[in-house]
Amino acid sequence: MKTTKSPIHNSVNTMFVPVSDLQTSAKWYSDLLGQEFNPSEVEEPVYNMKIDHYTGVLLDSGPPDEKQKVTPSAHPLFNFHTDDIDASYQYIKELEYSITSNITRFEDLSFFTIKDPDGNIIMICTG
């Protein structure tokens, strides 16, 4: 089988999260990640989250001057990593965010899921 070098990088660059209210979602995700939130930095139709590593998170409210209707997936879109699943679970409870599953623990992995303001399911995960 002939292999060709692809011009496409073997890495994920940015995840797009569909949202209906950019201000609300930008604040929600900022609070989730313990980031400072400045509403004046949020400009329709997208907000690029400040992420520490290569893969970014872009909140996308759709075409300007049109409220996007979001149909959330029944499955997690992606996960945010944590080294302490119990502290993360407690933090989410303190934020009063919607927790959609209790902590599931395996030998080398633990996780739980939450919903963002549009019902998108996000996993918080170790391992």
Side-chain angles (χ1 to χ4, degrees), residues 27-33 91-99 114-115:
K27 177 158 181 18
W28 189 92
Y29 278 91
S30 294
D31 289 347
L32 174 69
L33 299 175
Y91 180 69
I92 297 300
K93 285 175 65 175
E94 289 169 9
L95 288 174
E96 298 181 353
Y97 284 4
S98 175
I99 299 173
I114 60 177
K115 282 187 182 179

Side-chain angles (χ1 to χ4, degrees), residues 53-99:
H53 298 288
Y54 186 76
T55 303
V57 174
L58 186 77
L59 305 178
D60 182 2
S61 65
D65 302 323
E66 184 178 315
K67 183 153 177 103
Q68 177 163 257
K69 181 174 171 25
V70 176
T71 305
S73 171
H75 307 283
L77 296 177
F78 57 88
N79 77 63
F80 284 117
H81 179 77
T82 182
D83 291 324
D84 188 334
I85 197 72
D86 295 302
S88 297
Y89 192 86
Q90 185 60 37
Y91 180 69
I92 297 300
K93 285 175 65 175
E94 289 169 9
L95 288 174
E96 298 181 353
Y97 284 4
S98 175
I99 299 173

Side-chain angles (χ1 to χ4, degrees), residues 6-7 10 18 20 24 33 36 51-52 57 59-60 72 86 102 105 107 110 120:
S6 174
N10 184 11
S20 59
T24 298
L33 299 175
E36 293 291 323
I51 302 296
D52 289 339
V57 174
L59 305 178
D60 182 2
D86 295 302
N102 290 320
R105 298 175 196 270
E107 186 174 321
S110 296
N120 295 308

